[in-house]
Amino acid sequence: MTRRIELTRGKFALVSNDKFSNLIQYNWFAQRARDGKFYAATTMIVDGSPKRVYMHSCITGCELTTWINGDSLDNRTINLLECTRSELSASKKSLIGLSGYRGVTAWGKKYKASIKKDRILHYLGLYETAVEAARVYNKAAKELFGRFARLNHV
């Protein structure tokens, strides 16, 4: 069963029923991040000092967490995945350029496919069409990021 925890700014967080009683005791608020998403947060006293704590971290016990469905206020246990920095980066929405595809840029009359992992840019080749390049990107994304990969719709 899913429960709702009301936040500020007219927002709410979804949580699993088994986590609700532990979480409801705190005063949660909706914090807007630089990426424009809202996150459920509270302030706790840790070692005598106030510290901002995020709901997803309270649930997983891990600072690096991503949401399977991409909704940062859906903190149900089945929607949270612990991850590495690289996996977190892969799971975020990346900018889609003029080609209309992730990891694909126009390169003269062809299309270049590339992907970045651990701050290293991997060149995947030049292709006749953007769709071809997008398919190559998707294959590389699956190999490099597995279940965290954000794929093009081709």
Side-chain angles (χ1 to χ4, degrees):
M1 185 169 145
T2 300
R3 304 285 296 267
R4 286 171 54 139
I5 294 179
E6 297 299 323
L7 308 172
T8 57
R9 301 183 185 201
K11 304 286 185 189
F12 62 88
L14 296 176
V15 297
S16 300
N17 194 44
D18 63 320
K19 303 293 182 186
F20 183 78
S21 60
N22 292 334
L23 296 169
I24 197 65
Q25 61 188 312
Y26 299 102
N27 292 318
W28 296 97
F29 58 91
Q31 171 152 358
R32 183 181 216 126
R34 283 179 274 161
D35 62 6
K37 287 185 173 184
F38 285 96
Y39 297 85
T42 192
T43 303
M44 294 181 182
I45 304 300
V46 178
D47 296 328
S49 300
K51 183 180 179 199
R52 172 109 353 112
V53 178
Y54 294 94
M55 188 180 286
H56 59 275
S57 295
C58 283
I59 294 168
T60 63
C62 179
E63 213 171 298
L64 295 175
T65 306
T66 190
W67 295 262
I68 295 169
N69 68 6
D71 181 354
S72 57
L73 293 177
D74 184 349
N75 290 305
R76 294 172 299 146
T77 309
I78 62 168
N79 190 45
L80 298 175
L81 284 175
E82 294 177 29
C83 58
T84 65
R85 285 204 186 284
S86 183
E87 290 167 336
L88 181 63
S89 179
S91 72
K92 289 187 176 196
K93 288 186 178 176
S94 57
L95 296 175
I96 296 174
L98 297 176
S99 71
Y101 297 105
R102 211 173 265 104
V104 176
T105 51
W107 199 258
K109 293 183 178 184
K110 294 190 178 206
Y111 293 88
K112 179 179 79 168
S114 60
I115 192 167
K116 190 182 269 190
K117 182 173 186 204
D118 297 327
R119 299 183 194 168
I120 298 170
L121 184 66
H122 301 272
Y123 172 74
L124 303 173
L126 284 177
Y127 301 90
E128 295 296 323
T129 68
V131 171
E132 259 185 293
R135 286 187 178 126
V136 171
Y137 171 90
N138 285 355
K139 183 177 182 225
K142 286 178 196 172
E143 289 171 8
L144 291 172
F145 301 112
R147 65 184 175 171
F148 296 95
R150 286 250 181 213
L151 304 177
N152 290 303
H153 298 288
V154 290

